Amino acid sequence: MEDDENDTLAFERWEAYVIEHYPNPERTGCPSRETLKRFVDSPAQVGLEDLNDTHITRCRECVMDLRELRRLRDTSTPNVITEP
Amino acid sequence: MLSTSPSDLIWVIGFSPHSRWIAPVVRAAIRGAWPEAQEIANTQLGDEALAPELMEVAIQQTAEYLACSSPIGVEQTQEILSRYYRNAVRRKKRATQRLLFRGSTREIEFLLPSARSFESAVEADIDLGKILDETPPDLRHAMLMRLGARSSWKDVASATGKSMDAIRMGCRREVERIRKRFGVQGPGPKV
């Protein structure tokens, strides 16, 4: 399996791994939904402190939320990623 | 045998015209980190003599990291160097532990881990839950932008004020580990 220039496949596999291995039904340490939304819409504006550092690499629920938020972002504003 | 001077270790850095600032700060960082590095090698690995080879690995990685960053001071460089050094010590310790099987066949049979624990050991080698723990904050943020927001490397570069090549080079180690974990090949050469 060969990846693309953005390493998309590697990150997709990583995301699937988090979903499989890190259930967090009690949402321990999760950033707020609003923070996750801001992160998806303007990732550079949301720092590591807001994200509780690398929490999303160990939280199925956050990763699922981020998936959903990205879907909403990409369907509602298809041109959200624009050249400066 | 003569003991190694920290300054002797700097040779592992290759010099390029645009990164001449790196050698002096790394040299100073090595001097600062050296006593603790020896102590760590002694307490963690039981052999202070291992410190030079592990420090060389850390110096190499630090130099690679700095080559993609703007000039920084000695204190920050020492922090990065120490982080890479502790990583090298951990890897060495893990490798040593795996090789230490002694005794009769019966004893070895008793001591051998089950297939499951062996699998766990391999998995732990590339524990994706901890993959960013030792990554510098700016690169950690970049990796999270790719994972969580699916920003392209181009967008990540733009947001962090670095070139796309620099940000990809900075995150290369982590991305390689993810690829290795899942058997994903990197992109082919550009035609």
Side-chain angles (χ1 to χ4, degrees), chain A residues 33-62:
Chain A
R33 171 96 176 174
E34 174 55 30
T35 301
L36 294 178
K37 184 174 185 315
R38 275 196 299 124
F39 183 54
V40 165
D41 292 338
S42 311
Q45 308 301 319
V46 181
L48 289 173
E49 299 84 10
D50 302 318
L51 292 169
N52 190 9
D53 205 349
T54 56
H55 171 84
I56 65 169
T57 68
R58 293 183 292 270
C59 179
R60 171 165 64 193
E61 278 64 23
C62 280

Side-chain angles (χ1 to χ4, degrees), chain B residues 105-157:
Chain B
T105 312
R106 249 176 112 174
E107 285 168 330
I108 289 173
E109 200 174 326
F110 175 73
L111 288 169
L112 271 175
S114 67
R116 175 65 197 153
S117 63
F118 178 72
E119 186 189 324
S120 299
V122 172
E123 217 168 278
D125 200 25
I126 308 178
D127 183 349
L128 295 184
K130 296 178 180 174
I131 193 170
L132 302 182
D133 285 3
E134 305 294 332
T135 306
D138 55 338
L139 299 180
R140 207 183 307 158
H141 193 224
M143 290 291 288
L144 294 181
M145 286 170 71
R146 281 294 293 120
L147 175 69
R150 283 294 192 281
S151 306
S152 64
W153 284 125
K154 187 179 176 185
D155 290 324
V156 173

Side-chain angles (χ1 to χ4, degrees), chain B residues 2-28:
Chain B
L2 289 172
S3 63
T4 309
S5 154
S7 300
D8 295 341
L9 303 172
I10 197 77
W11 69 272
V12 294
I13 299 179
F15 294 94
S16 62
H18 64 280
S19 59
R20 285 189 196 283
W21 65 274
I22 293 176
V25 291
V26 172
R27 184 178 288 112

